[in-house]
């Protein structure tokens, strides 16, 4: 995930002047939960906006 890169970059650069800045990101478990929730919400919207089977049969 791209967020892992962002957190690592923050720990290597920003933490030098602002100690523990990268610690302010959500935990790995929280990021996994956010990712799962977002993925599920987006794909549910996609599926719900597909034409119905009856519409496709016409």
């Amino acid at each position: 995930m791209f967020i892992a890169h962002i957190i690592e970059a923050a720990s290597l650069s920003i933490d030098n002047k602002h100690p523990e800045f990268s610690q302010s990101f959500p935990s790995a478990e929280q990021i996994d939960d956010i990712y799962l929730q977002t993925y599920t919400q987006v794909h549910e919207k996609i599926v719900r906006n597909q034409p119905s089977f009856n519409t496709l049969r016409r």
Side-chain angles (χ1 to χ4, degrees), residues 29-47:
E29 292 80 14
Q30 289 172 312
I31 291 172
D32 286 341
D33 288 342
I34 292 166
Y35 181 83
L36 178 61
Q37 289 172 11
T38 303
Y39 182 91
T40 303
Q41 289 170 357
V42 167
H43 286 279
E44 182 178 2
K45 287 180 184 178
I46 292 169
V47 170

Side-chain angles (χ1 to χ4, degrees), residues 4 6 9 11-13 15-16 19 28 32 35 38-39 41 43 48 51 53 55:
I6 298 296
S11 71
L12 294 173
S13 58
D15 282 359
N16 291 333
D32 286 341
Y35 181 83
T38 303
Y39 182 91
Q41 289 170 357
H43 286 279
R48 290 193 182 277
F53 181 74
T55 300

Side-chain angles (χ1 to χ4, degrees), residues 10-24:
S11 71
L12 294 173
S13 58
I14 299 172
D15 282 359
N16 291 333
K17 291 197 175 195
H18 302 280
E20 299 183 17
F21 174 85
S22 61
Q23 298 300 318
S24 64

